[in-house]
């Protein structure tokens, strides 16, 4: 009967028992820390109990001044007074329970959030005579609530700013809650969602392809069971029928038993990104096709141009033996020869440029001594320099023993281009200076300086443009306009840089900075010496033999050549393209063919098949020399028809055994 108000006139409880009961209730009230109150509407007096009021800083004397309800209103925040009065009035008149949160002023002046609970007590006629209840401090709860709301608002702004949709899928009832942005991403308005009642995951999956639905479910299964990240891209049909790309990421929520109960995630519209990626891929494919078509065209044109050019230059050279020609006829033939040679040079340079642009130019990097290459380049350019009275000078080279890390053949080509340009575009009786200097740490500069006319500042930005001769085509100097372009790209492929400085009337300086070779890295010649030094077996041949070596790596070809040069009765012809190798084998059959496996256009097995099916070459023994050194590679090669299978790096003892076996010698 705890909810019944005690009436002393109707009770026979002893006064001592009653006192103990009241003391028990008083202890409970004080112990809970709440503030209890009672309002007698007949006397219009308020009474206050509990420690709550003392915690607000009010003393017993203060509380005695707060007995009138109108005085209490002065302690309530002005913004909450009207709401407080309405709630109390409703409790008095309608009998509804009093439950209200409001701000109450502490004695120090600040406000605390307070929650009040109470009810009215009526007599038999229905009139409310008393109100009673409790106040308790909820300031900390309010602060937490406000922080949560602020955090929620902040995250809502962040999500809204990203234009990502969010969703929450409950597994218990299969209901999915999508934010409006999710449906907006595929063209649906909030009104469309309500009218169509789009609330289940099936509504979303119905707009996906069966393949993507399967992928989605598999990703979901792995996420829930294996805790794998849920991050999937898929297509979905929009309201207008177009396909949109969505990237979905999510995280599952598990109960205490470890069972997934829901999953929450976000949808990002990545349609524009996918379209951009597709456009890039299509452009790349188109560029590759165009580049391939260009390469094929240039290769075909090279063959078509070389064939008649071979006849032209061949017959012109035959006239050199004809003593019946007049001086004018000899001069005319020299002009034809000069033009043909220039055309051949142009064809070669255009093909080189095409190979570089197509990424088919291969380099063989090794330690190279620039002093030796400069000797060769100067020797080749000297006749042209002598014709024009040009002096080629070389500084006292302090770095003659410094090796740079480069491709021997391509570095020589780059040096020839720079030195020949310095001669061709020089002034009569001018000079060319070549120097080697160290620049920075681990780099060597090769500089070529001329005393030519110089390049105007307005044209210097066009120096490395293909086929742009900077108006030199109007002069007497022949050229193609691609030499410097090729030189620059070759130097960059070797890890270097090419630069220049030019001044009209003074001359030009072109330089290339290349990395120095690291200690311990050996050149091809040294590798050949090392390999041969380990040789203990002898080559036993009774007569000279010819070898054809088909290999696309320049370093490997030079290494093989240097090894073969050690044997007096052996000669080797190296070819770097498989089709040229087949042509060489048919037109000048060797005694033995050494064949690489990984070749451009045709691999070693395809070349071997052509050789075996041609009656002119089927009798020539073919030896494989490849970096594919696994046992299954060797077995495959022998089964394909190679008479022997050598692996890289070449073992000279093993090579001698093979040569003795297939060229008629005896093993030693």
């Amino acid at each position: 009967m705890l909810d019944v108000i005690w009436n002393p006139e109707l009770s026979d409880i002893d006064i001592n028992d009653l006192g103990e009961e009241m003391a028990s209730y008083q202890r409970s009230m004080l112990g809970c820390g709440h503030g209890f109150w009672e309002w007698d509407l007949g006397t219009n007096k308020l009474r206050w109990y509990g420690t709550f009021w003392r915690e607000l800083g009010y003393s017993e004397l203060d509380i005695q001044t707060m007995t009138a309800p109108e005085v209490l209103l002065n302690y309530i925040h002005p913004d909450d007074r009207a709401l407080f009065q309405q709630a109390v009035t409703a409790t008095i008149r309608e009998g509804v329970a009093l439950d209200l949160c409001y701000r109450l002023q502490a004695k120090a002046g600040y406000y605390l959030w307070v929650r009040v609970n109470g009810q009215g007590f009526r007599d038999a006629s229905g009139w409310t005579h008393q109100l009673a209840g409790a106040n308790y401090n909820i300031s900390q709860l309010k602060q937490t609530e406000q922080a949560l709301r602020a955090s929620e608002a902040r995250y809502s702004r962040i999500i809204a700013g990203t234009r990502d949709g969010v969703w929450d899928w409950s597994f218990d009832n299969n209901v999915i809650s999508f934010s409006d942005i999710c449906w907006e991403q595929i063209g649906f308005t909030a009104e469309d969602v309500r009218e169509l009642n789009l609330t289940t995951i099936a509504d979303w999956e119905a707009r996906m392809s069966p393949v993507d639905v399967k992928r989605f479910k598999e990703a979901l299964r792995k996420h829930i069971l294996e805790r794998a990240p849920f991050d999937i891209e898929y297509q979905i049909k929009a309201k207008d029928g177009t396909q949109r790309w969505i990237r979905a990421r999510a995280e599952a929520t598990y109960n205490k038993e470890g069972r997934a109960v829901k999953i929450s995630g976000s949808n990002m519209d990545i349609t524009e990104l996918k379209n951009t990626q597709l456009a890039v891929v299509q452009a790349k494919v188109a560029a590759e096709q165009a580049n391939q078509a260009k390469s094929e065209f240039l290769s075909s044109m090279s063959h078509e141009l070389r064939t008649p050019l071979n006849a032209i230059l061949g017959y012109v050279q035959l006239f050199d033996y004809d003593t019946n020609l007049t001086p004018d006829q000899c001069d005319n033939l020299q002009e034809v020869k000069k033009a043909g040679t220039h055309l051949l040079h142009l064809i070669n340079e255009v093909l080189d440029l095409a190979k570089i642009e197509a990424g088919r130019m291969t380099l063989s990097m090794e330690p190279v001594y620039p002093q030796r290459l400069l000797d060769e380049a100067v020797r080749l350019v000297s006749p042209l320099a002598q014709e024009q009275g040009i002096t080629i000078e070389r500084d006292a080279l302090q770095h003659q023993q410094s090796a740079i890390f480069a491709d021997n053949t391509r570095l020589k080509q780059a040096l020839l281009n720079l030195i020949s340009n310095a001669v061709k575009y020089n002034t009569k009786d001018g000079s060319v200076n070549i120097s080697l200097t160290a620049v920075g740490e681990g780099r060597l500069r090769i500089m070529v300086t001329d005393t030519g006319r110089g390049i105007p500042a307005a044209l210097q930005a066009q120096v490395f443009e293909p086929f742009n001769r900077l108006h030199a085509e109007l002069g007497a100097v022949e050229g193609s306009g691609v030499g410097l372009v090729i030189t620059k790209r070759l130097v960059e492929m070797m890890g270097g840089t090419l630069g220049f400085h030019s001044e009209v009337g003074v001359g030009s300086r072109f330089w290339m900075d290349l990395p120095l070779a690291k200690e311990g890295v050996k050149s091809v010649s040294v590798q050949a010496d090392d390999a041969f030094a380990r040789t203990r077996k002898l080559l036993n041949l009774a007569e000279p033999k010819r070898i054809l070596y088909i290999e696309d790596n320049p370093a490997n070809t030079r290494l093989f050549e240097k090894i073969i040069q050690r044997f007096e009765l052996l000669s080797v012809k190296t070819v770097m393209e498989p089709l040229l190798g087949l042509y060489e084998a048919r037109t000048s059959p060797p005694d033995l063919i050494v064949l690489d496996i990984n070749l451009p256009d045709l691999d070693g097995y395809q070349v071997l098949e052509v050789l075996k099916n041609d009656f002119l070459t089927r009798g020539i023994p073919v030896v494989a020399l490849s970096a594919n050194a696994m046992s299954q590679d060797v077995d495959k090669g022998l089964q394909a028809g190679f008479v022997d299978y050598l692996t890289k790096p070449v073992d000279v003892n093993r090579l001698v055994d093979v040569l003795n076996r297939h060229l008629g010698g005896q093993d030693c």
Side-chain angles (χ1 to χ4, degrees):
M1 303 294 290
L2 294 177
D3 57 346
V4 177
I5 303 301
W6 177 69
N7 187 343
E9 297 178 357
L10 301 178
S11 176
D12 56 357
I13 298 177
D14 184 84
I15 191 66
N16 294 326
D17 293 338
L18 178 60
E20 180 60 32
E21 187 74 16
M22 292 179 64
S24 175
Y25 279 117
Q26 188 177 22
R27 287 192 296 269
S28 298
M29 293 168 64
L30 295 174
C32 71
H34 295 336
F36 297 92
W37 56 270
E38 184 180 39
W39 180 15
D40 188 328
L41 274 66
T43 62
N44 198 32
K45 296 293 183 181
L46 283 169
R47 297 179 64 189
W48 309 93
Y49 313 94
T51 60
F52 173 78
W53 312 104
R54 285 194 293 271
E55 291 176 357
L56 294 180
Y58 297 110
S59 64
E60 293 294 335
L61 183 61
D62 295 325
I63 292 174
Q64 292 176 11
T65 66
M66 298 167 61
T67 58
E70 57 271 16
V71 175
L72 176 63
L73 288 176
N74 295 329
Y75 292 88
I76 297 176
H77 194 282
D79 295 342
D80 299 336
R81 290 171 186 171
L83 185 64
F84 183 86
Q85 288 178 312
Q86 292 173 6
V88 171
T89 301
T91 301
I92 295 173
R93 293 179 179 179
E94 303 171 16
V96 298
L98 180 63
D99 188 354
L100 179 69
C101 295
Y102 66 97
R103 284 163 288 183
L104 185 64
Q105 187 178 34
K107 188 171 183 178
Y110 58 87
Y111 286 92
L112 295 175
W113 275 99
V114 174
R115 183 173 183 178
V116 59
N117 292 117
Q119 66 180 43
F121 297 94
R122 301 185 177 206
D123 58 16
S125 62
W127 289 95
T128 301
H129 291 278
Q130 286 95 13
L131 291 179
N135 282 8
Y136 44 96
N137 188 352
I138 62 168
S139 295
Q140 186 174 359
L141 180 63
K142 274 291 184 180
Q143 291 173 358
T144 303
E145 179 185 348
Q146 290 172 353
L148 287 173
R149 287 180 178 175
S151 177
E152 182 179 354
R154 183 170 64 254
Y155 283 117
S156 297
R157 290 193 300 270
I158 292 172
I159 292 174
T162 63
R163 297 302 299 166
D164 287 353
V166 294
W167 48 272
D168 191 81
W169 178 13
S170 175
F171 297 147
D172 292 334
N173 54 17
N174 200 35
V175 172
I176 188 166
S177 174
F178 283 108
S179 68
D180 292 341
I181 295 180
C182 286
W183 293 105
E184 289 176 8
Q185 288 173 343
I186 57 175
F188 289 90
T189 64
E191 185 178 350
D192 293 333
V193 174
R194 289 192 297 272
E195 290 179 356
L196 298 174
N197 192 29
L198 303 175
T199 58
T200 67
I201 188 63
D203 298 323
W204 191 264
E205 291 179 347
R207 313 195 70 81
M208 299 165 58
S209 70
V211 174
D212 281 340
V213 170
K214 184 177 180 180
R215 290 176 53 245
F216 187 95
K217 291 182 176 180
E218 178 61 19
L220 183 64
R221 185 193 68 80
K222 288 185 176 181
H223 175 65
I224 293 174
L225 299 181
E226 304 174 14
R227 306 295 176 97
F230 185 87
D231 190 342
I232 184 173
E233 297 177 358
Y234 59 86
Q235 284 186 291
I236 188 168
K237 185 168 68 175
K239 182 181 178 181
D240 61 4
T242 60
Q243 292 291 328
R244 307 291 295 179
W245 275 96
I246 298 294
R247 181 183 181 184
R249 287 172 287 188
E251 187 75 26
T253 301
Y254 300 84
N255 60 18
K256 294 180 179 179
E257 291 74 29
R259 185 175 68 88
V261 293
K262 70 175 182 178
I263 185 169
S264 305
S266 65
N267 283 357
M268 178 189 293
D269 185 355
I270 58 171
T271 306
E272 295 302 321
L273 176 62
K274 283 292 185 180
N275 290 340
T276 302
Q277 290 176 345
L278 179 60
V280 170
V281 170
Q282 291 175 340
K284 182 175 181 292
V285 171
E288 289 175 348
Q289 290 175 343
N291 195 47
Q292 179 66 23
K294 181 183 71 174
S295 297
E296 292 176 356
F297 170 77
L298 289 173
S299 177
S300 175
M301 287 303 298
S302 171
H303 180 269
E304 296 300 324
L305 290 172
R306 284 172 183 272
T307 301
L309 191 58
N310 179 61
I312 293 171
L313 292 177
Y315 280 111
V316 167
Q317 292 176 72
L318 288 178
F319 280 112
D320 290 340
Y321 299 96
D322 194 337
T323 58
N324 297 322
L325 298 177
T326 65
D328 287 342
Q329 290 174 326
C330 290
D331 291 341
N332 293 337
L333 287 172
Q334 286 302 316
E335 289 299 322
V336 173
K337 183 178 180 181
K338 182 179 178 182
T341 303
H342 175 63
L343 180 57
L344 180 60
H345 179 69
L346 177 60
I347 292 171
N348 291 334
E349 287 197 328
V350 170
L351 285 177
D352 274 350
L353 183 60
K355 283 183 179 180
I356 294 173
E357 290 181 341
R360 297 174 58 190
M361 176 72 75
T362 58
L363 299 181
S364 177
M365 305 295 286
E366 61 176 314
V368 177
Y369 291 92
Q371 171 71 22
R372 301 174 186 175
L373 294 184
L374 286 171
D375 290 341
E376 297 178 20
V378 170
R379 190 181 311 116
L380 292 172
V381 177
S382 290
L384 177 62
Q386 291 172 2
E387 289 180 8
Q388 301 184 24
I390 305 296
T391 303
I392 299 179
E393 303 171 346
R394 298 166 67 177
D395 287 351
L397 302 179
Q398 301 176 356
H399 302 277
Q400 298 185 34
Q401 302 304 317
S402 298
I404 56 179
F405 196 63
D407 180 288
N408 186 81
T409 302
R410 298 307 174 184
L411 179 57
K412 179 179 177 181
Q413 181 180 355
L415 289 172
L416 275 172
N417 279 336
L418 293 186
I419 298 173
S420 61
N421 279 353
V423 171
K424 287 192 299 182
Y425 298 102
N426 213 319
T427 56
K428 186 68 174 177
D429 299 325
S431 65
V432 174
N433 180 270
I434 304 171
S435 64
L436 292 180
T437 55
V439 289
E441 184 176 352
R443 298 180 81 80
L444 190 68
R445 171 170 294 179
I446 306 174
M447 181 180 292
V448 179
T449 305
D450 65 60
T451 57
R453 294 185 298 271
I455 304 171
L459 299 178
Q460 290 185 10
Q462 307 171 32
V463 166
F464 298 114
E465 291 181 359
F467 304 105
N468 188 341
R469 297 192 60 204
L470 310 180
H471 307 316
E473 64 274 10
L474 303 177
V477 180
E478 293 181 342
S480 61
V482 297
L484 277 178
V485 181
I486 293 174
T487 301
K488 183 175 187 296
R489 298 186 184 178
L490 286 176
V491 170
E492 290 173 350
M493 288 174 67
M494 291 185 289
T497 56
L498 180 67
F500 75 97
H501 174 78
S502 186
E503 186 175 348
V504 175
V506 177
S508 303
R509 297 196 307 270
F510 280 81
W511 64 82
M512 58 178 81
D513 296 342
L514 291 162
L516 289 168
K518 296 181 179 179
E519 294 185 7
V521 181
K522 298 180 179 180
S523 66
V524 170
S525 299
V526 175
Q527 292 178 40
D529 291 340
D530 290 347
F532 202 85
R534 294 191 298 269
T535 302
R536 294 294 182 269
K537 295 195 174 182
L538 299 177
L539 181 65
N540 294 320
L541 296 178
E543 56 186 10
K545 299 289 184 180
R546 295 175 56 254
I547 299 174
L548 173 63
Y549 183 34
I550 306 175
E551 161 70 71
D552 67 324
N553 186 294
N556 291 336
T557 59
R558 290 201 304 277
L559 176 60
F560 193 83
E561 288 173 348
K562 289 183 178 296
I563 292 175
I564 296 301
Q565 288 172 4
R566 301 299 181 96
F567 303 104
E568 294 182 358
L569 293 178
L570 286 181
S571 62
V572 61
K573 170 73 173 180
T574 58
V575 178
M576 300 183 66
E577 295 182 9
L579 293 178
L580 291 178
L582 291 171
Y583 176 81
E584 183 70 23
R586 295 187 84 257
T587 57
S588 182
D591 298 296
L592 178 74
I593 298 175
V594 178
L595 179 61
D596 184 27
I597 297 296
N598 297 317
L599 294 168
D601 301 327
L602 296 176
D603 64 29
Y605 292 105
Q606 293 171 314
V607 174
L608 177 64
E609 184 176 0
V610 173
L611 292 171
K612 290 170 62 178
N613 291 328
D614 191 330
F615 74 94
L616 292 176
T617 58
R618 65 180 56 167
I620 303 173
V622 183
V623 176
L625 177 55
S626 174
N628 301 333
M630 301 296 288
S631 58
Q632 57 265 33
D633 296 321
V634 177
D635 293 340
K636 178 182 177 181
L638 296 177
Q639 291 175 6
F642 287 106
V643 297
D644 251 306
Y645 195 105
L646 297 172
T647 59
K648 299 175 183 177
V650 63
D651 183 335
V652 178
N653 277 334
R654 179 85 174 92
L655 175 62
V656 171
D657 285 341
V658 170
L659 296 177
N660 281 331
R661 186 178 307 119
H662 301 291
L663 292 178
Q666 300 296 322
D667 290 344
C668 297

